[in-house]
Amino acid sequence: EDKVVQSPLSLVVHEGDTVTLNCSYEVTNFRSLLWYKQEKKAPTFLFMLTSSGIEKKSGRLSSILDKKELFSILNITATQTGDSAVYLCAVEALIHNNAGNMLTFGGGTRLMVKP
Amino acid sequence: DGGITQSPKYLFRKEGQNVTLSCEQNLNHDAMYWYRQDPGQGLRLIYYSQIVNDFQKGDIAEGYSVSREKKESFPLTVTSAQKNPTAFYLCASSIQQGGGRDTQYFGPGTRLTVL
């Protein structure tokens, strides 16, 4: 059974701090790993990672994948109160018989950034 | 504008009633998905459909039913058999390229409360 585990479950920091969120996975037929940010409504897409060791960056957010050790991290530097959200990690795997892909989500990390 | 719409945004129902949640997309995506999110948990897959007139059970399909008569629409019915239906329901869609790296795009969600 495919499994995605995120840590920590929750995190409280102050504005300006740097945070690192972790995602480890065990899946068969790995295709990619995705990070989402969920505030009050639907998750919004942040990154898709397919290759080991290549950092993806968007403003203060960056992420990297280690396919050997089966984990990814999401870094947020100079945090702001607007970064407060649940961050979801999902792993995309190939469905049997090459019929398509499916996502397995982790439980999320709830980040709270205090002023 | 292209996107995914879900309605209603908030839904209240009495115990013992069936209720149908709407999900429509005009992205021309082949695949559609229904997820459920409970407080403190990640998303869990209820049903998915890779093509019109076909759908598969996800991890927690009991007490739910779906149909996929049109490519654009994937309604979810929460039946009275669902033991704990109060939750936030998210619909998603993706281009299903069979081995490609598909990103799922999410609707705004429906919050269902059973009174």
Side-chain angles (χ1 to χ4, degrees):
Chain A
E1 182 182 336
D2 295 344
K3 190 164 71 171
V4 179
V5 178
Q6 291 185 245
S7 63
L9 288 180
S10 65
L11 195 54
V12 180
V13 300
H14 287 95
E15 275 191 314
D17 289 349
T18 293
V19 298
T20 298
L21 310 183
N22 305 295
C23 176
S24 64
Y25 62 91
E26 296 174 25
V27 300
T28 306
N29 297 321
F30 174 90
R31 306 299 294 175
S32 66
L33 184 143
L34 301 98
W35 284 97
Y36 289 89
K37 176 183 181 182
Q38 184 176 19
E39 294 172 272
K40 292 185 180 175
K41 296 182 180 176
T44 52
F45 173 73
L46 294 175
F47 298 111
M48 175 185 276
L49 303 157
T50 56
S51 302
S52 270
I54 297 175
E55 185 183 52
K56 291 233 175 159
K57 199 168 170 63
S58 175
R60 296 176 294 102
L61 275 66
S62 63
S63 184
I64 197 161
L65 174 67
D66 186 326
K67 289 168 76 172
K68 184 179 175 186
E69 300 297 330
L70 308 182
F71 78 90
S72 173
I73 60 172
L74 175 69
N75 277 323
I76 308 174
T77 59
T79 52
Q80 302 171 357
T81 55
D83 295 327
S84 297
V86 173
Y87 290 84
L88 293 169
C89 170
V91 174
E92 184 181 32
L94 190 64
I95 299 171
H96 62 276
N97 297 328
N98 201 31
N101 300 329
M102 192 53 54
L103 286 183
T104 301
F105 282 85
T109 293
R110 182 174 296 278
L111 173 65
M112 179 182 291
V113 181
K114 291 187 172 181
Chain B
D1 288 349
I4 305 174
T5 56
Q6 290 184 241
S7 62
K9 187 175 177 180
Y10 299 98
L11 188 57
F12 298 88
R13 79 151 216 225
K14 293 182 180 177
E15 273 192 46
Q17 290 180 335
N18 291 356
V19 63
T20 298
L21 281 57
S22 167
C23 178
E24 305 274 333
Q25 53 98 3
N26 60 4
L27 300 167
N28 200 32
H29 285 172
D30 294 310
M32 296 187 75
Y33 313 81
W34 273 105
Y35 294 94
R36 169 184 171 139
Q37 184 172 32
D38 295 283
Q41 297 191 34
L43 298 175
R44 292 184 291 167
L45 181 65
I46 305 173
Y47 268 98
Y48 66 97
S49 167
Q50 294 172 271
I51 197 168
V52 175
N53 292 323
D54 184 58
F55 49 83
Q56 305 295 329
K57 290 183 179 180
D59 300 321
I60 53 165
E62 187 176 347
Y64 298 98
S65 65
V66 293
S67 62
R68 187 84 188 277
E69 297 175 4
K70 299 187 297 182
K71 189 175 187 179
E72 302 80 19
S73 179
F74 191 40
L76 173 75
T77 297
V78 184
T79 75
S80 56
Q82 167 51 233
K83 296 281 189 283
N84 186 19
T86 295
F88 185 60
Y89 291 86
L90 277 167
C91 177
S93 70
S94 69
I95 297 172
Q96 198 74 344
Q97 294 176 336
R101 289 166 172 78
D102 308 324
T103 299
Q104 291 192 13
Y105 295 85
F106 291 88
T110 293
R111 185 165 298 280
L112 172 64
T113 302
V114 174
L115 305 172

